[in-house]
């Protein structure tokens, strides 16, 4: 076994689509000018990929976990830790993560409004007032999300996640005492109960709430955690693959996954995550990262945005720009680089959400078994030599080519 070559997985987020009448019954990918993707198809091997399994509507988080070689059915313990990553909390393996509401309670801690008047502004200041609290030997990391929502993680030794919610889930009820089902979870429960109590003390008199009171709005005077989830022990990407890796992605959630797996997460100025993103800046970062890492994961978010917006022409345009970025990368890659171009799921414009369809995929690089497919699209890729694979197969295929995979058997 000797390591050779490098690999890039280039993902157009939500790339897959359905034929669109306005595009002459072609998909946005099929309608796009894509000379560089077509070159990879002509010189490489194509196929279609089910990010998770056939028919499963993948999220970006589960799909990326799969493409990084983890079986999401095994490692995805729930939304808590991944949602916390998504809002920018630095979740680490072993943390316990929660979803939280800012709520309104009276002096007896009876919940009057579970959404604190659907508060829109000032939650960043409220969250900052709670963030960094230390209870026993546990640190609380707290961050606002949209509206009345927030995320929280508890970091410290010996914590469990088998705890009840601090949220009564109904108005007119008192904030319940959290209980734990085992010894580590009883510690978590103790910390949570203290956190909720202190959150009320801190938020009750916070200037944001004083202002709300003066405007006749319900104050966000308590934080109620629920949905505890243990951040799973996945190890690092390098431990699993023997590859050094970089992650150049626009979606906060996927950045979080990269950090979680100890990949080098590289922020690119100009990468907005929108349709106006600077793909050439992203491409330059990819070229640079390939000089210093064995493996680079790159995700451009735009196609998913256009899919959710049911905007086929915008999807065509961002795919064309991704193709130009690919052209730039192809001019400047180290020798023996393998490139996979695919999507993390389909976001058909007509569906405006992630569908269970497979996505097209092409693999290009030295020694791949070239097939007869000469252009890159949903329908052509389905005729390719790779057949139909799952997201978690990609990394196995790449590690085989990169010479970092042990033989299975004699
Ligand atoms: Zn996605
Ligand atoms: Zn999406």
């Amino acid at each position: 076994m000797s390591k050779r070559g490098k690999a890039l997985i280039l993902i157009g987020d939500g790339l897959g689509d359905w034929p669109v009448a306005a595009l002459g019954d072609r998909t946005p990918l099929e309608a796009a000018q894509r000379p560089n993707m077509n070159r990879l198809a002509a010189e490489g091997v194509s196929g279609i990929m089910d990010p998770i399994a056939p028919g499963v509507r993948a999220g970006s988080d589960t799909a990326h976990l799969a493409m990084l070689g983890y079986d999401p059915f095994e490692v995805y313990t729930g939304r808590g830790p991944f949602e916390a990553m998504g809002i920018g909390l630095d979740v680490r393996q072993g943390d316990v993560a929660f979803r939280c509401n800012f709520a309104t309670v009276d002096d007896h801690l009876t919940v009057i409004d579970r959404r604190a008047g659907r508060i829109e502004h000032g939650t960043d200041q409220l969250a900052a007032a709670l963030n960094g609290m230390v209870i026993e030997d546990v640190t609380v990391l707290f961050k606002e999300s949209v509206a009345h929502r927030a995320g929280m993680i508890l970091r410290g030794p010996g914590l469990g996640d088998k705890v009840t919610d601090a949220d009564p889930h109904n108005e007119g009820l008192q904030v319940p005492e959290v209980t734990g089902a085992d010894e580590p979870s009883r510690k978590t429960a103790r910390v949570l109960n203290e956190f909720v109590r202190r959150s009320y003390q801190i938020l009750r008199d916070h200037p944001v709430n004083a202002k709300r009171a003066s405007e006749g709005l319900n104050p966000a005077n308590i934080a109620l955690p629920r949905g505890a989830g243990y951040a799973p022990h996945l190890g690092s990407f390098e431990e699993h693959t023997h590859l050094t890796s970089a992650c150049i992605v626009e979606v906060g959630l996927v950045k979080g996954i990269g950090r979680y797996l100890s990949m080098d997460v590289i922020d690119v100025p100009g990468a907005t995550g929108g349709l106006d993103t600077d793909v050439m800046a992203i491409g330059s970062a990819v070229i640079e990262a390939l000089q210093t890492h064995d493996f680079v994961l790159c995700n451009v978010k735009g196609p998913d945005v256009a899919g959710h917006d049911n905007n086929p022409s915008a999807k065509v345009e961002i795919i064309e720009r991704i193709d130009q970025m690919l052209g730039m990368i192809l001019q400047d890659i180290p020798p023996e680089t393998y490139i996979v171009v695919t999507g993390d799921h389909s976001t058909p414009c007509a569906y405006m959400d992630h569908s269970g369809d497979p996505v097209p995929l092409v693999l290009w690089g030295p020694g791949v078994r070239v097939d007869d497919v000469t252009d890159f699209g949903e329908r052509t890729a389905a005729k390719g030599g790779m057949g139909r694979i799952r997201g978690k197969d990609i990394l196995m295929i790449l590690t085989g080519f990169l010479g970092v995979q042990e033989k299975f058997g004699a």
Side-chain angles (χ1 to χ4, degrees):
M1 184 177 93
S2 70
K3 187 150 91 177
R4 56 175 183 273
K6 311 226 170 189
L8 164 66
I9 300 182
L10 174 57
I11 294 150
D13 205 293
L15 179 71
D17 212 303
W18 301 338
V20 177
L23 299 175
D25 286 322
R26 293 170 300 171
T27 67
L29 175 61
E30 290 168 348
Q33 294 292 319
R34 54 194 194 292
N36 298 296
M37 294 179 190
N38 288 346
R39 176 186 156 195
L40 298 197
E43 298 175 4
V45 57
S46 296
I48 54 175
M49 176 188 83
D50 295 296
I52 310 291
V56 174
R57 297 177 52 216
S60 293
D61 48 1
T62 47
H64 280 81
L65 278 171
M67 290 187 289
L68 291 168
Y70 299 85
D71 183 345
F73 290 127
E74 270 174 38
V75 304
Y76 194 72
T77 50
R79 292 167 62 177
F82 293 93
E83 280 197 346
M85 285 176 213
I87 62 170
L89 276 168
D90 169 32
V91 183
R92 297 189 201 155
Q93 308 188 17
D95 291 344
V96 182
F98 300 83
R99 310 167 76 188
C100 290
N101 271 15
F102 286 109
T104 310
V105 291
D106 67 12
D107 299 345
H108 310 287
L109 298 191
T110 297
V111 176
I112 295 164
D113 183 349
R114 273 192 74 231
R115 299 182 182 85
R118 295 199 174 265
I119 183 167
E120 289 289 341
H121 303 290
T123 54
D124 52 340
Q125 296 167 55
L126 299 176
L130 302 176
N131 184 41
M133 192 189 292
V134 176
I135 301 168
E136 299 184 19
D137 53 0
V138 175
T139 304
V140 178
L141 299 172
F142 196 97
K143 194 161 192 303
E144 74 286 359
S145 177
V146 283
H148 57 278
R149 299 181 191 90
M152 179 176 92
I153 57 185
L154 297 184
R155 179 170 299 158
L159 294 171
D161 70 347
K162 293 178 184 57
V163 290
T164 56
D165 292 345
D167 182 342
H169 294 278
N170 279 302
E171 284 151 11
L173 298 176
Q174 256 199 330
V175 173
E177 191 79 4
V178 177
T179 57
D182 51 28
E183 201 47 47
S185 301
R186 278 192 277 280
K187 175 172 177 181
T188 306
R190 246 183 3 251
V191 171
L192 275 181
N193 287 323
E194 178 65 13
F195 166 78
V196 171
R197 212 175 51 76
R198 286 199 212 170
S199 81
Y200 176 63
Q201 289 169 351
I202 293 168
L203 298 181
R204 183 175 48 183
D205 304 318
H206 193 282
V208 167
N209 283 324
K211 182 158 175 286
R212 288 183 70 77
S214 73
E215 292 165 352
L217 299 169
N218 278 341
N221 60 8
I222 200 163
L224 300 178
R226 65 183 196 279
Y230 201 61
H233 283 282
L234 303 185
S236 70
F237 184 79
E238 188 166 357
E239 273 168 45
H240 283 267
T241 59
H242 311 287
L243 300 171
T244 57
S245 61
C247 188
I248 300 171
V249 300
E250 297 190 291
V251 188
L253 186 52
V254 181
K255 276 187 193 177
I257 289 173
R259 274 189 213 105
Y260 199 72
L261 300 174
S262 304
M263 302 172 78
D264 280 341
V265 176
I266 298 168
D267 288 312
V268 179
T272 60
L275 294 163
D276 60 346
T277 196
D278 186 348
V279 286
M280 292 306 165
I282 297 172
S284 300
V286 167
I287 290 168
E288 209 171 300
L290 279 170
Q291 300 297 325
T292 44
H293 300 80
D294 300 319
F295 172 86
V296 177
L297 175 79
C298 175
N299 173 306
V300 179
K301 173 76 173 160
D304 184 59
V305 174
H308 283 286
D309 290 349
N310 188 15
N311 190 341
S313 60
K315 195 162 177 181
V316 170
E317 197 182 311
I318 184 73
I319 291 170
E320 291 182 341
R321 292 175 58 221
I322 294 171
D323 189 81
Q324 289 158 14
M325 170 182 116
L326 174 63
M328 181 175 98
I329 293 169
L330 280 167
Q331 283 176 15
D332 215 351
I333 45 171
E336 289 199 63
T337 297
Y338 291 85
I339 300 181
V340 169
V341 177
T342 187
D344 58 341
H345 47 77
S346 295
T347 309
C349 291
Y351 191 62
M352 298 176 75
D353 203 346
H354 306 182
S355 70
D357 297 287
V359 290
L361 174 142
V362 61
L363 165 66
W364 177 91
V368 305
R369 192 181 284 170
V370 180
D371 59 19
D372 293 335
V373 176
T374 55
D375 76 86
F376 186 61
E378 284 86 343
R379 283 174 273 202
T380 46
K383 298 175 190 153
M386 186 86 78
R388 185 167 186 157
I389 63 170
R390 295 196 186 186
K392 68 183 163 74
D393 298 331
I394 296 178
L395 204 73
M396 200 52 80
I397 293 166
L398 286 175
T399 53
F401 278 113
L402 296 178
V404 289
Q405 196 188 107
E406 301 287 354
K407 192 188 288 178
F408 180 59

